[in-house]
Amino acid sequence: MLTIGKLAKQCHVNVETIRYYQRIGLMRVPETTQSYRYYNDKDIETLNFIQKGKDAGLQLSEIQELLQLRLDDREQVRHVIQQRLDKIDQRIQELNSLKQRLSSWVDECKSSHEQGCPILKELKNR
């Protein structure tokens, strides 16, 4: 049985992080016993699950959805992860477009012989 401070220390998170997870429903709020709330191994497991999900790039809403699934619900788990992959692919495309635009500005700036910075001119004309 751990207090919130000991749980936070063991799992390498801030106490306020645990309280936030409780407010949004990711973690349970244990009953108060002798003026303290005690956390158990299941709480450690949940907090580790959340941290691993975040490390894998999942949003808290996706982690919450996964926490509610059963171990044998493979199809739904795959669905959640596939949606995340689709969002990542979309973001990669957006970033590649942005990279291409910025690279073309740099190339234009290098090769331009006109007075003034073509990048700043382009930004001011938008």
Side-chain angles (χ1 to χ4, degrees):
M1 301 288 264
L2 301 169
T3 61
I4 194 168
K6 289 180 182 177
L7 174 66
K9 189 172 187 172
Q10 181 170 335
C11 294
H12 309 289
V13 298
N14 190 299
V15 168
E16 288 306 314
T17 300
I18 295 171
R19 289 188 178 127
Y20 175 71
Y21 292 161
Q22 290 172 331
R23 280 194 304 275
I24 65 171
L26 273 177
M27 290 187 67
R28 73 180 185 95
V29 178
E31 292 182 30
T32 303
T33 307
Q34 300 171 347
S35 301
Y36 290 100
R37 291 183 173 158
Y38 291 101
Y39 297 83
N40 58 30
D41 290 342
K42 179 71 172 150
D43 297 310
I44 295 169
E45 183 181 308
T46 300
L47 193 51
N48 285 331
F49 185 98
I50 294 167
Q51 292 307 110
K52 286 178 185 177
K54 284 179 59 181
D55 290 346
L58 297 173
Q59 301 291 314
L60 291 178
S61 60
E62 295 161 336
I63 293 169
Q64 187 167 30
E65 190 173 347
L66 291 173
L67 279 168
Q68 295 169 355
L69 296 175
R70 296 182 322 271
L71 281 176
D72 63 348
D73 202 351
R74 295 173 131 189
E75 186 175 330
Q76 187 59 32
V77 171
R78 279 194 314 270
H79 177 72
V80 170
I81 300 303
Q82 186 60 55
Q83 284 183 318
R84 176 54 76 210
L85 283 172
D86 293 345
K87 289 176 185 175
I88 289 170
D89 285 339
Q90 179 182 357
R91 185 65 180 141
I92 288 171
Q93 289 175 354
E94 291 168 359
L95 289 171
N96 280 331
S97 294
L98 181 58
K99 179 181 178 182
Q100 187 174 15
R101 180 188 303 161
L102 295 175
S103 293
S104 71
W105 284 358
V106 168
D107 292 343
E108 184 180 340
C109 187
K110 285 180 188 176
S111 62
S112 174
H113 297 292
E114 63 182 83
Q115 192 170 3
C117 177
I119 296 172
L120 292 178
K121 286 181 181 179
E122 177 71 25
L123 288 170
K124 288 181 180 182
N125 289 331
R126 290 198 170 221

